[in-house]
């Protein structure tokens, strides 16, 4: 019952609303059933009373006049902006009828479920897709190039993901006994404090700086961190992988690594054949040997010994002293004698291909700065690294990510206080299938996974990223090969205005589909292409929970907005309709089932508010590899196939993909395409975050729009002068694909050779109907970035480095 | 004649990240429409020798800042101070803040209208 007294409720942020990946404790003040105020919860360990601008603007968001208040059915043609309100019952019936038709005529895989950034809703989208029977859950970004690729790459070599340690694992946070503040932190391509991505509270790093952490910033822009960094390495976009090779070069050649870790916990000692460059496997040495076991050279007996991956130890040997380096002639099972050396030798050979002068040439960062930064990090005990989406937004992301992972591992900073700590779902509560975990929500049979687009072409995607490949899915909409795509469910995703590169191609794809449902809070350019739009609720309108790292906590419904329904309720209703065997009667049953590993029901957790995993559990640090807390078999070691940190990725060798770190020049840079550089002399980088917006959201919230009213492109004063552009003038950014109009912000925070144009721009105040589409065709920078350039893993894509030219709006070249 | 000021805001602008929380916190607390409010965040990019630059954000209390009297009377911090993401704002009696400002450089003490 709404009360006319103001009541204060505790809850947790997680989209929709602030848009972020959430986790803050908030106090919602509610009067007469309406949100009248929102504050940070001072008792909550994550934010400790603080709150960002976007969460504080919730009072303008929740009752915004533009919010959708009823399901809508399109009455005109796609993009015509004509709609009629229908009831929820009508909407569900219509959706059921149309989607059943697609399933009957073409099979469930002909329906694609498009998701956006990381929200609790991701789980419920998987739930719906799997209840319907489709494996094609699609994260709509080219190369899925945000977070997931990083996760998959890191898990390939270390079995788990790792993040910087700000004592977030403990309720007493920085006061926790045993916690150490990192001496140095490398911030790699990350403007984290603007939006708290990846479930990390960005301002934790500012907390750490106040406690003495020194910063190394890797970013071509002068960011806030760059300004305050001991070393600011302003690399050319897309050369991060060369830079990490430079770091490794310094660390290895100056002996700044932890040799005990390298010898005991990594596969450095495993043998590699010099003839083929491949690992020596047990089956090479003995005819009935396993291809999943490896070999090392025992210096005591001067002979090879077998590393038994099922035992995570050497076979039939009590005391083995494996050689880290050396060269031996070894007799193979087929009688051949082969010269072998160690993984460590091969890794060092690779690293030695990158002397600092070469790295300077590639990256543009002075060799001395690279040297000094690498030494500073390596000598910091502990040191932490945190990386942003820049590491995903390049096609060769895995050789980059494995290089950075190797850097923190060999410097002894993995799962130690103040280093890079394994991040696991709290109490191992996993809602949906993610790399390294199975999750409660999954496809019923392996058979159903067979048609997943891209799964047979890309093994990393097959094994570590259980979604379809986005670029291939887009192509398949046109080619209908090997099967047609007929419908799309779009939720938490702005495929037209933000998530989709080459949005004209996406528009053509959407036009081709028989049936599209969009779930959103507002009409957007994307919803204009749907057949039915369903109005979702904000985080204040739903009961849910989060286990994304720690703590485990509930999101509590505090208000209701008439006509709207929480995403989970929408998907739950339809999942029941599509799957007669759907095993849950109520959403609460579903939550209780997912929460089982915690030993709590939803209600019990809700009563507590939040819970931290106790020490000694697998979701609480530190040094879990030593304690046997990481692997299902409880043996000490990592959750990789060797049980070791893999400097040379065994799985990637099996998949015929590059097993060690290296630099690969991205496809559209002045180095790879000097021909294009003649016409498009500037590097176009995109994606700078604004504290006012999360991606494409919040443009209609007055308090937020005021902070960042226009699409602004940062351009260096010299570059601006050369192009006769003044501060505040509108200008075109153009390349071979298209152009977008931005307002010039003339500032030395960008180098002369690069411009930075933020993404996600559309104008809710402009006309919905085409050709305006909320002004999106004017300002969408993704029109200059291609689809179809995903990396060899099917993951990663060139988003942060393209090329362009610029000119003033009037009178310029057109 | 306005009364002699008693309270102020101490800003440690070394750590202000330009998150604009203070601005929105003030608007929410004091019901300001967009365009008005008790505090504005400024960006300053200063050229340094050797082609380097330094980026500073500085929150500036405007003519509309009332130092959250209704909150501070109850012993609460002002809305901007409470929510500041960098924890870089302190409210208090001017004398106390003047003592505090001696503790470290890159601070400013504002005494709004
Ligand atoms: S962006 Fe950060 S501060 Fe804001 S609600 Fe999300 S996690 Fe909390
Ligand atoms: S003290 Fe209060 S009135 Fe002044 S800027 Fe801060 S929030 Fe606004
Ligand atoms: S809230 Fe704090 S950190 Fe954010 S802009 Fe205001 S003063 Fe700066």
């Amino acid at each position: 019952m709404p009360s006319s007294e103001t009541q204060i409720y505790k809850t947790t942020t997680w989209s929709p609303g602030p848009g972020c990946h959430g986790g803050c404790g908030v106090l919602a003040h509610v009067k007469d059933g309406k949100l009248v105020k929102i504050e940070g919860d001072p008792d909550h360990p994550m934010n400790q009373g603080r709150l960002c601008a976007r969460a504080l603007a919730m009072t303008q968001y929740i009752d915004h006049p533009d919010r959708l208040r009823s399901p809508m059915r399109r009455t005109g043609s796609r993009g015509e902006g004509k709609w009629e309100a229908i009831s929820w019952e009508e909407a569900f019936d219509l959706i059921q009828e149309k989607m059943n038709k697609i399933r009957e005529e073409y099979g469930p895989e002909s329906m694609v479920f498009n998701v956006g950034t990381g929200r609790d809703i991701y789980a419920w989208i998987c739930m719906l897709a799997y209840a319907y029977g489709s494996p094609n859950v699609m994260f709509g970004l080219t190369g899925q190039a945000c977070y997931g690729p990083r996760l998959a790459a890191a898990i390939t070599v270390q079995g788990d993901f790792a993040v910087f340690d700000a004592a977030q694992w403990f309720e007493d946070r920085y006061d926790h006994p045993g916690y150490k503040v990192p001496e140095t932190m490398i911030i790699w391509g990350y403007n984290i404090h603007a939006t708290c991505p990846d479930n990390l509270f960005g301002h934790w790093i500012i907390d750490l700086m106040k406690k003495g952490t020194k910063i190394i910033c890797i970013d071509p822009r002068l960011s806030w961190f760059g300004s305050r960094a001991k070393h600011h390495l302003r690399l050319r976009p897309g050369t991060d992988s060369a830079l990490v090779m430079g770091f490794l070069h310094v660390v290895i050649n100056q002996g700044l690594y932890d040799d005990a870790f390298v010898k005991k916990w990594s596969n450095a000692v495993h043998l590699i054949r010099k003839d083929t460059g491949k690992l020596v496997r047990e089956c090479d040495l003995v005819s009935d040997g396993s291809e999943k076991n490896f070999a090392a050279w025992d210096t005591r007996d001067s002979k090879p010994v077998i590393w038994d991956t099922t035992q995570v130890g050497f076979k039939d040997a009590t005391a083995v002293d494996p050689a880290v380096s050396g060269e031996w002639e070894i007799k193979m099972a087929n009688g051949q004698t082969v010269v072998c050396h160690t993984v460590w030798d091969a890794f060092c050979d690779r690293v030695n291909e990158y002397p600092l002068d070469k790295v300077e040439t590639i990256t543009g960062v002075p060799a001395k700065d690279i040297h000094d930064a690498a030494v500073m990090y390596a000598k910091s005990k502990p040191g932490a690294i945190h990386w942003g989406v820049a590491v995903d937004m390049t096609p060769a992301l895995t050789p980059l990510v494995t290089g950075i992972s190797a850097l923190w591992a060999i410097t002894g900073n993995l799962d130690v206080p103040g280093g890079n700590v394994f991040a696991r779902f709290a109490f191992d509560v996993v809602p949906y299938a993610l790399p390294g975990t199975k999750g409660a929500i999954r496809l019923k049979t392996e058979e159903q996974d067979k048609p997943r687009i891209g799964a047979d072409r890309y093994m990393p995607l097959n094994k570590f990223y259980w979604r379809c490949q986005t670029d291939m899915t887009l192509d398949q909409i046109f080619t209908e090969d090997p099967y047609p795509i007929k419908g799309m469910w779009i939720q938490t995703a702005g495929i037209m205005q933000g998530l989709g590169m080459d949005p004209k191609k996406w528009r053509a794809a959407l036009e081709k589909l028989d049936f599209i449902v969009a779930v959103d809070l507002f009409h957007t350019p994307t919803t204009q292409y749907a057949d039915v739009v369903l109005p979702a609720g904000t985080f204040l309108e739903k009961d849910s929970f989060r286990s994304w790292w720690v703590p485990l906590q509930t999101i509590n419904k505090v208000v209701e907005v008439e006509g709207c329904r929480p995403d989970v309720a929408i998907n739950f209703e339809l999942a029941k309709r599509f799957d007669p065997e759907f095993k849950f009667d109520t959403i609460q049953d579903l939550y209780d089932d997912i929460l089982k590993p915690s030993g709590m029901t939803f209600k019990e957790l809700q009563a507590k508010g939040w819970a931290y995993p106790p020490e000694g559990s697998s979701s609480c640090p530190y040094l879990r590899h030593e304690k046997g807390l990481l692997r299902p078999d409880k043996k000490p070691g990592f959750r990789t196939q060797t049980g070791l940190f893999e400097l040379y990725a065994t799985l990637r060798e099996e998949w015929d993909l590059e097993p060690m770190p290296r630099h690969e020049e991205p496809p559209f840079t002045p180095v790879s395409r000097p021909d294009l550089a003649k016409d498009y002399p500037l590097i176009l980088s995109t994606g700078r975050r604004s504290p006012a917006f999360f991606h494409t959201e919040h443009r209609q919230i007055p308090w937020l729009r005021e902070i960042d009213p226009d699409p602004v492109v940062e351009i260096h004063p010299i570059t601006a002068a050369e192009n006769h552009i003044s501060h505040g003038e509108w200008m075109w950014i153009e390349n071979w694909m298209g152009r977008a109009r931005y307002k010039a912000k003339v500032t030395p925070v960008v180098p002369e050779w690069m411009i930075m144009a933020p993404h996600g721009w559309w104008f809710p105040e402009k006309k919905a109907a085409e050709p305006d589409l909320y002004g999106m065709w004017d300002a969408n920078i993704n029109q200059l970035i291609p689809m179809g350039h995903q990396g060899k893993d099917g993951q990663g894509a060139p988003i942060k480095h393209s090329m362009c030219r610029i000119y003033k709006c009037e009178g310029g070249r057109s | 004649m306005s009364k002699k000021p008693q309270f102020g805001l101490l800003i440690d602008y070394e750590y202000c990240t330009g998150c604009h929380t203070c601005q929105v916190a003030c608007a929410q607390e004091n019901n300001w429409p967009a365009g008005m409010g008790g505090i504005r965040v400024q960006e300053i990019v200063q050229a340094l020798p050797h082609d380097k630059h330094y980026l500073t954000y500085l929150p500036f209390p405007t003519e509309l800042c009332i130092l959250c009297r209704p909150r501070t009377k109850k012993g609460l911090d002002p809305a901007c101070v409470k929510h500041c993401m960098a924890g870089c704002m302190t409210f208090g009696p001017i004398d106390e803040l003047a003592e505090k400002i001696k503790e470290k450089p890159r601070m400013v003490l504002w005494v709004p209208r």
Side-chain angles (χ1 to χ4, degrees), chain B residues 16-22 41 59 84-86 88-89:
Chain B
C16 170
T17 60
C19 74
H20 289 266
T21 272
C22 46
V41 182
C84 172
M85 292 281 278
C88 70
M89 312 175 81

Side-chain angles (χ1 to χ4, degrees), chain A residues 314-325:
Chain A
F314 290 107
K315 204 171 192 174
D316 310 323
T318 37
V320 172
D321 186 21
V324 178
S325 175

Side-chain angles (χ1 to χ4, degrees), chain B residues 9 22 25-26 29-30 38-39 61 64-68 78-81 89:
Chain B
L9 290 174
C22 46
C26 180
E29 184 70 29
N30 300 301
I39 201 154
L64 298 178
C65 174
I66 53 163
L67 280 172
C68 278
C80 58
V81 173
M89 312 175 81

Side-chain angles (χ1 to χ4, degrees), chain A residues 682 711-715 719-720 723-726 728-734 739-746 755 757 778 804-810:
Chain A
L682 289 170
V712 288
V713 55
E714 291 167 342
I715 165 170
T719 315
N723 289 278
H724 313 287
I725 291 167
S726 320
E729 267 186 321
W730 289 93
M731 55 178 257
W732 289 106
I733 306 167
E734 181 178 80
R739 64 179 190 171
R741 205 166 70 100
Y742 274 68
K743 200 171 179 175
K745 177 175 177 180
V746 177
I755 61 167
D778 209 31
C804 69
R805 63 182 169 217
I806 54 173
Y807 51 93
K808 246 203 259 227
C809 275
E810 19 53 337

